[in-house]
Amino acid sequence: MESSLPPAEELVLVDRELARLDAHRAQLLARRDWLLRVLHAPVAAPAPVRPEATPRSAQNVLLSLGGGLLAVAAVAFTLVSWGSMGIGGRAAVLGAVTSAALLAPVALLRKGLRSTAESVAALGLVLTLLDAYALHRVALADTGALAYTASAAGVLAAGWAGYGAALTRLRLPLPAAAVAAQLPLPLGVLAAGGGVLSFAWAALATAVLDLAVARRTRPAPVRITALVTAGVLGGWALLTGLALSAGTPLRATPLLLACAAVLLYGAVRTAPAALPAATLAGLALIASAGGLLRPVLPEVWTVPGYAVCAVVLAGVALWGRDVATVVRATAPSAAGAVRRGLGFAGGGVLGLALVWALPPVAAGLLGPLARAGAPWSGEHAEPLLEGYPATAPLVLLLAAAALATVPRPWARCGTLVLAWALLTALPVSLGLPYAATLALQLLTAGAALGVAVRPALMTRGLPEPEPLGAPGAGPAPEPSAEPAEVVAWLAYAGGLASALGAVALGLDVRAATFAALGVVLALCVGVAAAGTGARRLVAACGAVLAAAGLVGAGAVAAHAGPAVTGLALLAVPAGTAGVGAWLRRRPVAVAVEGAGAAVALCALGLTVGRPALLALALALGGVLAAATAVRPERRPVASWVAAALFLLATWVRLAVWEVTTPEAYTLPVTVPALAVGVLRRRRDPEASSWTAYGPGLAVTLLPSLLAAWTDPEWARPLLLGVGALVVTLLGARFRLQALLVLGGTVLALDGLHELAPYVVQVVGALPRWLPPALAGLLLLAVGATYEQRLRDARRLRERLGRMR
C-alpha cells in the first residue's frame, strides 16, 4: 500500500479510526439488547384501582343514614300527627313500631347482619324515648317535669341495660343505659327541692356508682362511658365543695371529705389516673381541713391556716411510710403516683400561699425607692402596703421550714430564697423602726453573701428520703448540675439586692449612709477575697463602687461642689491602681481597675462645669495612667490613655487661657506622635510611613492649612510653607511616601493661597477672550503629548509606590 503520509502519522490515524469504530459498535450492541428486552417482555396487567371506601364503611354510612331518617320520621310523627289519633290508635302505633324496632335486631343478628341490627336497635332506643315523652303528654301531664324525667331515666336505664344484656352482640344499648343512669339521682334531688349542696351529693353518689360499674363491667365501651360520666359528675361535686368552702366551710367539709375519699379510691384502683386523682384528693383534703380552721381563727390567719394544712399533707406524702405501705399493699403500681399527687397538691396550695405573701417582700425591697424628700432630709418613704396582714412572714417561715426537711438540691435553693424573702418582709409586716430595718437589711445582705462564699453550708446532705416510686427501686439519683453553684448564685443575688436596698434606705440619714456604705464595702471586700469565679469579680467592682460612694458622701458632707467632689473621687482610681499593681495578673485585678476607670470617668464628668479643675483632673488621671503603664501587662492600653489624658489636659488649660492658635493644640500631639513613629520604624523598618508619621503630620499640617487660608497675615502661611517644604524634602531624601505627599500637597495649597490675589489681578487685567484661548491651547498641548503624559504619570505612581 502506498501513502503520501509518513508511516508513523498514518499509524496514528488508523488506530484513531479503529477506536471510533469500536465505540460505535458498542453503542449499537447496547441498543440491540434493549430492543430485545422490550420485545420479549410480558405485557403488564393494569393495576387494580383501590376503592376509596371499604364495603363495611359504606354499609355503616348507609345504615346510619337510614336509622337517622327513621328516627326523624318517628319524632315528626310523635310531635305532629299524634294529636289526630285516638288513644287506642296511639297505643297501637307506638307499641307496634317500638316492639318491631326492638325485636328486629334479634333476627338480624341470627342472620349475621350485625351492622343492620345496630342501626335498628338505635332506632328502637330513640322510640323508647318518644314513648316516654308521649306517656307524659297523655297520661301523666300533671306530674312534674323533673320528677317524671328522673323516673323515666331510671326506667329507661334499667330497660336498656336488660336489653343490652340480652343481646350482648349489640354495642350501643349498654353505654346508652350508663348515660341514662346519670339522671335519676341529681334530677330527683332537684325535683324534691334540694339545693346546690344536695345536688352535689347526688352527683357524687352517681359518680361512685359509675366507678363501681366501670370496675365490674367487662365491655370497654361501658367502662369508658362510666369513667367519663364519673369524672364529670365527681368534678362538679368537687368544684361545688370548693366553692361552698369559701362561704360556708362547715357545710362543705363533709362533701369535700367524701370527694377526697372517692378520689383516693379511684387513684388506688385506677393506675393510669392515679396521679391526677390523688392531686385532686389532696386539694379536697386541704380545703376541708382549712375550712374547719377558718371559723375558729381570725381572718388574717386564713391563708396561714391553709398553708399549714398543705405542709402537713405534703409531709405525709413525703415521709408517711405507713400510708405508703398501705397503698402499696392495696395497689403496688399506684403507690408512687398517689404519694406524688398528694405532694403536688400540698406544694400547689403552698405555692399559692407564697404568692399571697410576696407583696411585703417587694415592699421591703423597693420601699426605699419611694422616697419623697431629698437625701439626708431625715424623711422616710411612706409604707407601700397599708393594712396588709402581718401574718404573711409566717407563710414564708413555714414554707422555708418545710423545704429545709427535704434533702434535695432544689429544696435547698427554695429554702435559701424563702429565708431571704422572710428577712426582707419582716420590717414591712412588723412595722420595725428605721434603725432596726436598716440593721436587718445589712444583716440579710451579710448572711446571704456568706452563704454565697460557702455554699456547702446549705448543700451538706441529710438522710435520703424513701423514693416515691415502687419499693426497692433505690433512692432517686441526685442531679449532677452543681447544686452548690446554684445555691451560691441565688444567695449572691439576694445579698446584692439586700445591699443595694440598704444603701438606698441609708440615704435618708447622713450617718446611716456612711454606715451602710461601710458595711457594704466590708462585705464586698470579704467576698472578693474569699469568693471564687465571677462572684469575686462582681464583688470587687462592688467594693470599688462602695468606696466611691463613701468618698463622694464625704465630699458632699464637707459641702464641696460637684467639681471638688470629682477631684476627690480620683482617690478611688488611685487606690484601685495600687491594688491592681499588688494583684498583678490575677483576673480580679482587671475588675478592680476597670471599676476604678469607671469612677474616674464619673469624676471627670463632675468637673466639666469648671474647666480649670477639669484640666487638673485630666492631668491627675494622666499621672495615674502613666503610673499604671509602668507595668508591662498594662502598658499597651495605659500608655495611650495617659497620652490622651495629658493631651486633653493641655487643650483644656489652653482653652482656659483663651489660646486660639491651632498650633498650640496640635503640636503637643504631633511631637510625641512623630517620636513614636521614629521608634516604630527603628523596630520595624518595613512599617509604612503612613502608619508611622501620617497621623502626627496630619494633626498639625491640616488644621494649620485651614487656618492659613483664612489668615490675612503673612506669618502663618510663611511658616507653614517652610515647614511643608522641609517635610517634602525629608520625604524625597528618605523616600517616605507620607512625608512627600502630605508636605507637597500642603506646600502647593499654601503657595496657591499666597499667589491667588495676584492671579486674580492678572486675570482681571487680561482681555475676556484670553483665558478661554489659553485653556484651549493647554488642552491641545496635553492632547498632543497624551501618551507621554500617561507614561510620566505611570512612572510617578510607580516611584511613589516604591516608597514606604
Side-chain angles (χ1 to χ4, degrees):
M1 298 176 63
E2 297 293 335
S3 176
S4 59
L5 294 176
E9 294 182 6
E10 186 177 2
L11 180 61
V12 171
L13 291 176
V14 171
D15 291 340
R16 186 179 302 167
E17 186 66 21
L18 288 175
R20 187 181 66 80
L21 291 175
D22 291 339
H24 186 61
R25 184 173 184 276
Q27 293 178 356
L28 293 176
L29 289 175
R31 180 68 177 174
R32 180 176 181 277
D33 293 340
W34 180 81
L35 292 173
L36 289 174
R37 287 197 300 271
V38 170
L39 290 174
H40 295 289
V43 179
V49 180
R50 184 177 181 180
E52 295 182 357
T54 62
R56 181 173 295 276
S57 61
Q59 176 190 10
N60 292 335
V61 171
L62 293 176
L63 291 175
S64 299
L65 289 176
L69 292 175
L70 289 176
V72 170
V75 171
F77 168 77
T78 305
L79 296 178
V80 179
S81 301
W82 181 260
S84 61
M85 300 179 63
I87 185 66
R90 299 172 186 174
V93 170
L94 282 176
V97 174
T98 303
S99 301
L102 293 177
L103 293 176
V106 177
L108 293 173
L109 289 175
R110 290 177 181 175
K111 295 182 178 181
L113 302 177
R114 182 174 177 179
S115 299
T116 306
E118 289 282 0
S119 300
V120 177
L123 176 62
L125 298 182
V126 174
L127 289 174
T128 56
L129 290 176
L130 296 177
D131 291 341
Y133 170 75
L135 181 62
H136 180 262
R137 288 290 303 275
V138 173
L140 301 173
D142 297 334
T143 307
L146 289 177
Y148 180 79
T149 303
S151 302
V155 172
L156 288 175
W160 290 352
Y163 184 71
L167 301 177
T168 56
R169 296 177 61 185
L170 295 178
R171 291 175 295 182
L172 184 61
L174 289 179
V179 174
Q182 311 305 310
L183 301 179
L185 281 179
L187 294 183
V189 168
L190 293 180
V196 176
L197 184 61
S198 300
F199 183 83
W201 276 107
L204 181 62
T206 306
V208 171
L209 294 177
D210 290 336
L211 291 177
V213 170
R215 180 167 179 78
R216 296 181 179 276
T217 303
R218 182 171 299 177
V222 180
R223 289 202 310 271
I224 294 174
T225 304
L227 289 176
V228 171
T229 54
V232 173
L233 294 178
W236 175 266
L238 178 60
L239 291 176
T240 303
L242 293 176
L244 292 176
S245 66
T248 56
L250 295 181
R251 294 180 59 199
T253 297
L255 176 62
L256 290 173
L257 291 176
C259 290
V262 173
L263 287 168
L264 287 176
Y265 177 81
V268 171
R269 294 297 182 181
T270 311
L275 182 61
T279 303
L280 294 175
L283 293 177
L285 290 174
I286 295 172
S288 61
L292 292 177
L293 293 177
R294 285 183 61 187
V296 298
L297 293 176
E299 185 178 358
V300 295
W301 289 87
T302 299
V303 176
Y306 281 104
V308 169
C309 297
V311 170
V312 171
L313 181 64
V316 170
L318 183 63
W319 302 103
R321 300 176 184 271
D322 296 336
V323 175
T325 302
V326 173
V327 175
R328 285 170 183 163
T330 307
S333 60
V338 170
R339 296 184 66 191
R340 284 194 300 272
L342 295 177
F344 289 161
V349 174
L350 186 59
L352 294 176
L354 289 176
V355 172
W356 173 81
L358 285 181
V361 181
L365 190 62
L366 304 177
L369 302 179
R371 182 187 303 103
W376 295 359
S377 63
E379 299 179 1
H380 306 305
E382 295 293 333
L384 297 180
L385 293 177
E386 289 289 347
Y388 202 82
T391 55
L394 292 178
V395 176
L396 299 172
L397 178 61
L398 179 65
L403 287 179
T405 63
V406 180
R408 289 288 185 271
W410 61 266
R412 299 302 173 82
C413 296
T415 302
L416 177 64
V417 173
L418 290 174
W420 172 83
L422 172 63
L423 295 176
T424 305
L426 276 179
V428 177
S429 298
L430 301 181
L432 297 180
Y434 176 78
T437 300
L438 180 61
L440 186 57
Q441 283 200 354
L442 291 174
L443 178 63
T444 303
L449 293 177
V451 173
V453 173
R454 292 290 181 267
L457 298 175
M458 286 292 297
T459 57
R460 196 161 293 164
L462 288 174
E464 288 290 335
E466 188 178 353
L468 297 181
E478 288 287 336
S480 59
E482 296 86 18
E485 190 70 11
V486 177
V487 168
W489 275 111
L490 287 174
Y492 194 62
L496 291 181
S498 296
L500 292 175
V503 171
L505 184 62
L507 293 177
D508 293 350
V509 181
R510 177 183 300 180
T513 300
F514 286 99
L517 287 173
V519 173
V520 171
L521 174 61
L523 291 175
C524 289
V525 170
V527 176
T532 57
R535 293 186 293 275
R536 169 181 288 182
L537 303 182
V538 177
C541 296
V544 174
L545 296 179
L550 284 173
V551 173
V556 174
H559 303 287
V564 177
T565 302
L567 287 176
L569 283 176
L570 289 177
V572 176
T576 57
V579 174
W582 175 59
L583 294 173
R584 303 296 295 176
R585 297 181 181 273
R586 298 176 185 175
V588 71
V590 178
V592 170
E593 293 179 270
V599 174
L601 288 177
C602 295
L604 295 177
L606 290 174
T607 59
V608 170
R610 296 180 61 179
L613 292 182
L614 175 59
L616 177 58
L618 289 169
L620 292 175
V623 172
L624 293 176
T628 305
V630 175
R631 296 158 51 194
E633 69 274 10
R634 298 288 185 265
R635 187 172 300 151
V637 176
S639 59
W640 288 101
V641 174
L645 290 176
F646 282 132
L647 178 62
L648 291 175
T650 304
W651 285 355
V652 173
R653 176 53 60 185
L654 291 173
V656 172
W657 289 339
E658 298 181 354
V659 175
T660 59
T661 303
E663 288 78 10
Y665 295 89
T666 58
L667 286 176
V669 181
T670 296
V671 173
L674 292 178
V676 172
V678 171
L679 294 176
R680 179 170 183 180
R681 290 273 297 179
R682 286 182 179 178
R683 291 197 307 266
D684 184 12
E686 298 297 327
S688 173
S689 62
W690 287 102
T691 304
Y693 306 120
L697 291 174
V699 167
T700 293
L701 291 177
L702 297 182
S704 298
L705 178 61
L706 295 176
W709 272 69
T710 59
D711 192 349
E713 302 295 333
W714 58 270
R716 175 178 278 112
L718 178 60
L719 294 175
L720 178 60
V722 172
L725 178 60
V726 172
V727 171
T728 304
L729 294 176
L730 290 175
R733 169 67 180 80
F734 295 102
R735 300 175 59 81
L736 298 176
Q737 187 182 101
L739 277 67
L740 186 61
V741 173
L742 286 175
T745 303
V746 172
L747 180 61
L749 293 175
D750 185 62
L752 178 61
H753 172 264
E754 293 302 310
L755 294 175
Y758 304 101
V759 173
V760 171
Q761 292 178 4
V762 172
V763 172
L766 294 175
R768 296 293 182 91
W769 56 266
L770 187 58
L774 293 176
L777 290 175
L778 178 62
L779 292 176
L780 289 175
V782 172
T785 58
Y786 180 72
E787 293 185 1
Q788 181 63 34
R789 300 286 80 77
L790 285 179
R791 285 194 295 270
D792 294 342
R794 192 179 300 112
R795 194 176 296 113
L796 177 60
R797 185 184 62 184
E798 292 174 355
R799 290 176 182 175
L800 287 175
R802 287 194 293 268
M803 294 181 181
R804 289 291 179 183

